[in-house]
Each structure stands twice: as C-alpha cells, then as structure tokens.
C-alpha cells in the first residue's frame, strides 16, 4: 500500500459530505446550479485522467460529452419515459465507442499533433450534429420525457437528480482513485513521466494509453447523459472546442495531477462564471463577464503555478519557511516516488 495523504482524504470526504447536506438548506436555484457543477466536475475528472495522469493533452473532450448527451436524447422514446438503467449505459457506451475510434488513430501521434488530431475529430462530430437532421441542426433536440418518470428514481425531480448526480460523482472519484493506485495507474504515471523509458522497460504503452482514452471518453459520456437529463435539451454547442478549452482551464486552475484538483477547479470555475455574470454584483460590467473571468484565471495561474491545491503548501512555506512535503520527506514520512499517490 502506498502513502495516503490524510489531509486530502479528509478534504475530499468533507466536500462530499457538504454536498450531501446542501439540499437541506438550498433553494431550487442552488440545487440546479450545484447539480450542474457536479456534472462538470465529473467531466473534469474524465479529462484529468488523460492530461494530469497520463500526459495526453486532449482538446476534444467535449465531443464525448456531447455524444453521451445526444445518445440519451436520440435513444429516448418520444411517447414515454425511458428507463435510466439502460439509457445511461447506452450513452456511456456510445461515447466510449467514439473514443475508441478517435484514440486508435490519434494516439499514433504525439505532442501538438495529438492535440490537433483530437480537436479535428471533435469538430467533425460537432459538424455532424450541426449540419445534419440527425442532431436537429443548430436548433438542437428536446428530451420530452426524462428517464425514470413515475418510478422510484424519477430523474425529473431536481432533488432526486441532485443525489443521483452526487452518487456518480463519488463513484467516478473513487473509481479513478483506485485505478490510479493500481498497476495500470502506475504504468500511466510512468508514461507521463518518461514514455521512452517505459518502452525500454518492456511495456507496450499504446494499449495502456488507448484504455485510458476510452475510459476517459466513457466517463465524459456519463457526464453528457446527466447534462441532457438536467437540461432536457441538447445542441451542437455542447461539442464546441470552447468547452474543451474550458475543461483544460478547470483542471489547470485546480491543479494538474490531482483528482481533487479537478473537483476544486470545476467548482471554482463555474462559481466565478456565475459571479461575473451577476448584474446584482457587477452591474453593467456583467455584460463583459469573460473579461473579469479571464483576468481572474490569469492571476490564479500566475500566483499559484501548482493550482489551487498548492495554496495550503504555499501559505505554509511563506509562514514557516519550508513546505510540508519537504518536511515529510526529511522525516521519512513520504516516499520519493509519490507520483501515483499525488494523483489522488
């Protein structure tokens, strides 16, 4: 067993506990907003698996998200509610299948070429739903009956959808945490640090990268399903490169290489978005919310190069003159090879 950071464990558990208790004091707007944030957190975790844990900068994550959402709407009957128990796996499978196709081809490239190929495949999916009747064109398509209507798990109920989303957020986090601490996760960490050395050690890195890519696409499809159920509507903008860029900002803002960093980044990013859009707070400047959001993110990245997860350690170093991590290593409490453990 590797070293477990109790501070991170307590923080993550506290976040999930706070989310579980939040509906006791929240109004309907708050429930809808936090549900949306949790969906984006699942999506950010899917990208963290690629970028932070494997070193694959994917600029097409929005395509898998959109395919999961479109699959949920297109597979739903127009006359009755579909069962979520089969619609959700179908949406995940559709996204994972496209990820398998994209990954099988794009992973043969590296660096900036990989980024551009994933962007090209994402734009291809975008224009398929944008320019054909399949996805309703620019008008999008509606989900007339939300899954599980008139059943115990009625996803048309905002409170049930909230806890349904929370369950899958916790599941996604725990699943990825276990995955990254397994042999598979350690291979991914090795690929991120030095792929050539892993190949020289006898590892065929391509299957590992492809498996990570497909897993990431499936989780993004899960987030897409939840988004379609919450909004009851999908349109091509869900697959836009703007969303893929926003996801990269989320995980960089939170802190690359940390699962809880993806959680923090998603929550902070959406919170800042809503804050700068608020006319009650910023008045007429709210029309230019992109400017305020951009300047704030630039300041965060400049002042916190390790992301928001590095803030406690930076403050500790400023106050006491050394980092907690350095102290732990000096006392023999932290192993030197903590690349996989840090990812959690």
């Amino acid at each position: 067993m590797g070293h477990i950071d109790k501070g991170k464990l307590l923080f993550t558990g506290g976040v999930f506990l706070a989310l579980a208790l939040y509906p006791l004091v929240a109004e309907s707007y708050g429930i809808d907003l936090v549900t949306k944030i949790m969906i984006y957190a699942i999506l950010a975790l899917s990208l963290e698996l690629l970028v932070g844990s494997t070193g694959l900068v994917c600029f097409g994550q929005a395509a898998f998200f959109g395919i999961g959402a479109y699959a949920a709407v297109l597979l739903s009957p127009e006359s009755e509610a579909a069962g979520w128990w089969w619609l959700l796996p179908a949406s995940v499978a559709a996204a994972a299948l496209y990820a398998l196709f994209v990954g099988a081809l794009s992973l043969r490239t590296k660096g900036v070429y990989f980024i551009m190929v994933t962007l090209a495949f994402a734009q291809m999916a975008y224009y398929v739903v944008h320019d054909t009747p399949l996805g309703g064109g620019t008008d999008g398509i509606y989900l007339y009956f939300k899954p599980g209507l008139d059943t115990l798990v009625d996803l048309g109920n905002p409170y049930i959808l909230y806890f349904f989303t929370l369950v899958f957020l916790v599941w996604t986090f725990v699943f990825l945490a276990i995955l990254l601490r397994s042999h598979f996760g350690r291979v991914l960490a090795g690929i991120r640090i030095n792929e050539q050395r892993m190949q020289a050690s006898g590892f065929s890195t391509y299957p590992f990268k492809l498996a990570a890519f497909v897993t990431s696409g499936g989780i993004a499809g899960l987030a897409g399903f939840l988004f379609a159920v919450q909004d009851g509507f999908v349109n091509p903008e869900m697959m836009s490169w703007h969303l893929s860029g926003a996801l990269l900002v989320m995980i960089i803002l939170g802190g690359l290489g940390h699962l809880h960093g993806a959680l923090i980044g998603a929550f902070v990013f959406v919170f800042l978005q809503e804050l700068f859009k608020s006319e009650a707070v910023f008045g007429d400047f709210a029309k230019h919310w992109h400017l305020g959001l951009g300047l704030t993110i630039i300041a965060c990245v400049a002042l916190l190069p390790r992301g928001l997860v590095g803030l406690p350690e930076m403050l500790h170093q400023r106050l006491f003159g050394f980092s907690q991590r350095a102290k732990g290593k000096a006392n023999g409490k932290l192993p030197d090879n903590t690349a996989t453990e840090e990812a959690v």
Side-chain angles (χ1 to χ4, degrees), residues 16-34:
F16 291 144
L17 179 61
L19 288 172
L21 297 176
Y22 178 70
L24 298 176
V25 297
E27 298 179 353
S28 58
Y29 171 76
I31 291 294
D32 290 340
L33 177 61
V34 177

Side-chain angles (χ1 to χ4, degrees), residues 12-59:
T12 306
V15 169
F16 291 144
L17 179 61
L19 288 172
L21 297 176
Y22 178 70
L24 298 176
V25 297
E27 298 179 353
S28 58
Y29 171 76
I31 291 294
D32 290 340
L33 177 61
V34 177
T35 301
K36 174 185 173 184
I37 294 175
M38 289 193 293
I39 292 170
Y40 279 127
I42 294 173
L43 187 54
L45 284 168
S46 75
L47 186 58
E48 172 62 30
L49 174 62
L50 288 182
V51 181
S53 303
T54 316
L56 298 172
V57 181
C58 175
F59 211 70

Side-chain angles (χ1 to χ4, degrees), residues 27 40 46 68 105 123 182 239 242 252 274 312 318 339:
E27 298 179 353
Y40 279 127
S46 75
L105 298 176
Q123 289 300 101
S182 68
M239 297 186 180
H242 298 90
I252 292 170
E274 295 298 319
R318 291 286 177 87

Side-chain angles (χ1 to χ4, degrees), residues 50 56 58 64 95-109 114 117-118 121 206 209-214:
L50 288 182
L56 298 172
C58 175
F64 312 129
L97 206 60
Y98 188 64
L100 177 63
F101 168 69
V102 173
L105 298 176
S106 62
L107 287 170
R108 299 185 185 280
T109 62
F114 175 78
V117 170
T118 55
F121 276 114
Y206 178 81
K209 292 193 294 183
L210 183 59
F213 198 90
V214 173

